[in-house]
Amino acid sequence: MKLLVSNIPPLKTEHQNFKSAFMSGLEKYDKISIASGYISVSSITEIQKIIQLNKKPKLDLIIGMHYFDGFTNPQYQAVKNLDSFLFEKELGRIYLAYVSMYHGKIYSFENSKNEPQETVIGSSNLSTITTDQRIYESDLLIVDKKINKDIKEFLESLKKKYCKPFSDIHNIKINEKNILLEEHY
């Protein structure tokens, strides 16, 4: 197990950060399963670009909060485009949690035999791969085979019992304005 931290001054450390561990996993492995509360347009666009250029990794993405909070129109279009691309190329699916909100952040990498190899769990949102915001995040990179197998089983159960494929949900809420800023002055 390894600690991953943002390394924003004045708290610089020798530890790797989330973005470098995430990008390394995309290069090394053939599949990634992601469960994240929120997504950003830039992170969805970046993942699609990486998969198009490299023809890998396969991707299963669980989005945990947007079914309840709604998508902005650009978020919805980005997710719709990625879901169509993944489905057409047989490279994965996008799922929405619809039973209740899911706010975890799990990034599980598998080899070509569908064996989990590494998982990142922590506070880093998916949007971290495309932004340099000054938010200090901390995560754990897990390389233990048993724990990674347990995480894979959890993600499979989450997909089956908590989620529906994005393309199967027809009542997706689109927010015309950013509700996250309401009542904040």
Side-chain angles (χ1 to χ4, degrees):
M1 199 166 348
K2 296 178 184 176
L3 177 64
L4 306 173
V5 294
S6 295
N7 284 315
I8 299 170
L11 185 53
K12 295 283 283 174
T13 71
E14 298 296 317
H15 298 286
Q16 186 179 15
N17 66 24
F18 169 78
K19 184 176 181 177
S20 64
F22 182 86
M23 293 303 181
S24 174
L26 291 181
E27 287 178 27
K28 290 192 289 192
Y29 300 111
D30 297 298
K31 181 179 180 188
I32 181 171
S33 296
I34 299 172
S36 181
Y38 293 102
I39 55 88
S40 67
V41 173
S42 60
S43 62
I44 294 297
T45 304
E46 181 68 14
I47 287 175
Q48 183 168 344
K49 184 173 77 174
I50 289 167
I51 295 171
Q52 283 176 319
L53 290 173
N54 299 294
K55 300 188 179 30
K56 74 170 202 146
K58 289 185 175 182
L59 168 67
D60 279 344
L61 171 61
I62 296 169
I63 302 171
M65 303 291 283
H66 288 282
Y67 177 79
F68 300 94
D69 291 347
F71 288 89
T72 64
N73 194 50
Q75 287 172 330
Y76 175 79
Q77 291 302 323
V79 170
K80 184 177 176 183
N81 290 342
L82 177 57
D83 186 58
S84 295
F85 168 77
L86 293 172
F87 185 76
E88 287 171 18
K89 302 293 183 185
E90 298 180 359
L91 290 172
R93 298 294 303 265
I94 296 178
Y95 301 86
L96 296 183
Y98 76 97
V99 173
S100 70
M101 294 180 180
Y102 175 81
H103 195 256
K105 290 126 181 135
I106 300 175
Y107 309 86
S108 179
F109 298 92
E110 298 177 20
N111 63 17
S112 59
K113 297 176 185 173
N114 294 323
E115 300 167 332
Q117 301 296 303
E118 294 181 355
T119 302
V120 177
I121 296 180
S123 64
S124 292
N125 287 306
L126 187 56
S127 60
T128 306
I129 67 169
T130 59
T131 185
D132 290 324
Q133 284 184 323
R134 290 190 53 85
I135 299 172
Y136 210 98
E137 305 282 4
S138 55
D139 305 281
L140 289 176
L141 175 64
I142 300 165
V143 293
D144 180 272
K145 287 185 188 284
K146 171 148 182 17
I147 295 172
N148 281 320
K149 184 176 181 250
D150 290 345
I151 292 167
K152 179 180 178 169
E153 289 170 2
F154 167 74
L155 290 172
E156 288 299 319
S157 292
L158 185 66
K159 278 192 312 198
K160 288 177 183 161
K161 296 178 180 178
Y162 228 63
C163 301
K164 283 186 181 179
F166 177 82
S167 59
D168 291 353
I169 299 177
H170 304 290
N171 59 336
I172 294 175
K173 184 167 106 178
I174 307 294
N175 296 321
E176 296 302 320
K177 60 182 182 176
N178 187 346
I179 62 170
L180 296 175
L181 299 178
E182 282 185 2
E183 299 181 24
H184 294 276
Y185 302 101

